[in-house]
Amino acid sequence: MKKLYFLWVIVFASCASSKIDKVNGVSFVSSREEVAQHHIDPVLDVQANYAAIMPFGFIRDLDSPELIFNTDRQWFGERREGAKQYIEKLHQNSIKVMVKPQIWIWDGKFTGNMEMASEEEWQKLEASYEDFILLYAEMAEETRSDIFCIGTELKTFVMERPDFWNQLIVKVRDVYNGKITYASNWDEYDDTPFWAELDYIGVNAYFPLCEKQNPTIETLTLGWQPWKTKMRELARKEGRPILFTEFGYRSMDFTGKKPWLVDRNQERVNLKAQADATQVIFDQFWNEDWFAGGFVWKWFMQHDEVGGIEDNRFTPQNKPAESVIRRQYAHGKKSSL
């Protein structure tokens, strides 16, 4: 037990001495156009020190093995050329980058349920996915990006094909020298089998917190406690910090009930609920030594055209939640001076 304790102390000593140096990130959404300085200025204004760049691959259905990516038919920011341009512009502004290739299934079906019908189909998917990931791992190395994410919310794929993922991690490390993570969904992270091979335990933090229409600071805080305890224990067990590869809330009623909802529902706009939930997540995690920080979901390039007081979607832009984020991220910058 003494050996385990001292190992824990050694692994997290650097975190404890620099707990203020968090990833204060935004998920920078791909666009049709090149990124320009006026697109970056709002990211600087909110005091972010990281941005997640998300090139996309597309699959037709949950059992389709062919991944389509880096084609001329995709938006500029969704393919290699655009992702590289985004990264270079962010780096010019001293913003670090996580490269996070993602899959989109037609009609918005959940990637965690993707499953092939035969061994042959699994092998086709693996070959296609490996090409996709290694293309962007090589780009991440070329651009000296700080973090690379090997996948997002692929629960069934991960659980059914563990050997493939172990081999993929080795291949990524052969071409990329930065930190590596995987963006697990909130209901899969504790079963993900390869955390010991990665640098961060990546979690998309859409945990259900409470069922109230107008959640309070107190109910949201209480709702976090069992999840927080579980993540702290996993971080200590694996000797890896937790990184929220995505976190955020809809600006609507019942925002803490099912925070993962992406549907275009008509729930009443509730700007205070989003702001309060965002403040609580900062209060609960940003001072923890075993926690590395996270990336707000989501941030659009066209800052003046998105969000606002009539929008019930995820973006905090032009809403009270944006001020909450700015205040927290600015505090982190001042503390690290």
Side-chain angles (χ1 to χ4, degrees):
M1 287 300 293
K2 285 185 177 180
K3 286 185 177 180
L4 286 174
Y5 172 77
F6 285 117
L7 176 61
W8 170 251
V9 171
I10 290 169
V11 168
F12 281 92
S14 59
C15 260
S17 63
S18 59
K19 65 180 181 179
I20 52 178
D21 298 324
K22 302 297 187 187
V23 172
N24 292 330
V26 296
S27 299
F28 198 76
V29 180
S30 301
S31 175
R32 300 174 187 270
E33 59 186 303
E34 292 190 11
V35 68
Q37 186 59 44
H38 70 273
H39 299 128
I40 304 294
D41 287 339
V43 179
L44 296 172
D45 179 66
V46 83
Q47 304 294 311
N49 61 8
Y50 262 90
I53 295 300
M54 300 169 289
F56 267 85
F58 297 87
I59 286 181
R60 294 198 176 276
D61 215 331
L62 290 169
D63 59 355
S64 299
E66 183 183 3
L67 183 58
I68 301 164
F69 60 93
N70 199 36
T71 71
D72 291 339
R73 298 192 332 184
Q74 291 179 248
W75 285 5
F76 178 74
E78 292 176 344
R79 57 185 194 264
R80 190 187 194 283
E81 175 190 12
K84 183 181 177 184
Q85 193 266 331
Y86 285 15
I87 293 166
E88 290 172 344
K89 193 67 177 178
L90 288 161
H91 278 171
Q92 289 171 15
N93 285 272
S94 299
I95 298 172
K96 297 179 180 181
V97 170
M98 176 174 73
V99 179
K100 185 166 169 270
Q102 295 190 208
I103 292 176
W104 177 260
I105 301 176
W106 263 255
D107 298 325
K109 293 176 181 175
F110 178 49
T111 52
N113 296 330
M114 190 168 61
E115 185 171 14
M116 301 302 105
S118 67
E119 177 64 22
E120 180 183 3
E121 298 290 272
W122 273 119
Q123 291 182 12
K124 286 181 181 178
L125 173 64
E126 289 172 350
S128 184
Y129 190 78
E130 180 179 308
D131 288 344
F132 175 56
I133 290 300
L134 292 182
L135 173 75
Y136 287 108
E138 290 168 355
M139 184 207 68
E141 177 67 17
E142 180 184 340
T143 56
R144 298 187 178 181
S145 296
D146 296 85
I147 305 173
F148 184 75
C149 185
I150 62 171
T152 298
E153 296 179 355
L154 296 169
K155 181 178 182 178
T156 302
F157 191 180
V158 167
M159 300 308 294
E160 293 289 330
R161 311 296 287 187
D163 290 344
F164 165 76
W165 286 91
N166 287 326
Q167 293 167 16
L168 180 65
I169 291 166
V170 172
K171 291 175 182 178
V172 168
R173 290 211 183 272
D174 283 343
V175 300
Y176 174 70
N177 291 303
K179 303 290 188 180
I180 300 177
T181 190
Y182 164 74
S184 61
N185 196 34
W186 68 273
D187 62 351
E188 68 168 300
Y189 75 93
D190 53 336
D191 294 322
T192 302
F194 45 67
W195 293 132
E197 308 306 317
L198 304 183
D199 300 290
Y200 298 106
I201 298 170
V203 180
N204 287 356
Y206 303 114
F207 295 88
L209 302 179
C210 70
E211 298 197 354
K212 291 184 177 294
Q213 179 178 356
N214 290 290
T216 64
I217 294 285
E218 291 74 22
T219 56
L220 293 164
T221 299
L222 183 63
W224 265 117
Q225 299 318 301
W227 305 118
K228 182 178 178 180
T229 298
K230 195 173 182 179
M231 280 186 278
R232 180 175 57 241
E233 291 172 352
L234 180 64
R236 289 176 174 169
K237 174 187 171 185
E238 297 289 352
R240 301 288 186 274
I242 302 288
L243 174 68
F244 283 170
T245 36
E246 295 176 20
F247 75 93
Y249 297 91
R250 300 273 301 262
S251 49
M252 69 180 193
D253 286 347
F254 302 102
T255 192
K257 184 177 181 179
K258 295 181 178 180
W260 59 86
L261 288 179
V262 295
D263 61 334
R264 294 194 173 275
N265 65 57
Q266 300 302 310
E267 287 290 357
R268 184 176 67 89
V269 173
N270 192 330
L271 301 173
K272 186 177 187 300
Q274 182 190 41
D276 286 349
T278 303
Q279 184 62 61
V280 167
I281 208 170
F282 287 142
D283 291 343
Q284 288 299 304
F285 290 95
W286 253 250
N287 289 322
E288 298 290 348
D289 296 334
W290 48 268
F291 181 76
F295 296 85
V296 172
W297 187 263
K298 52 191 175 174
W299 193 274
F300 294 94
M301 283 172 52
Q302 298 80 8
H303 180 72
D304 294 338
E305 303 172 19
V306 299
I309 61 174
E310 296 181 358
D311 175 68
N312 80 346
R313 309 291 289 174
F314 273 101
T315 182
Q317 290 166 276
N318 302 302
K319 302 175 186 177
E322 183 180 339
S323 297
V324 173
I325 294 165
R326 181 182 296 106
R327 183 168 58 248
Q328 175 66 38
Y329 284 5
H331 175 71
K333 279 194 172 183
K334 290 176 183 177
S335 298
S336 62
L337 292 177

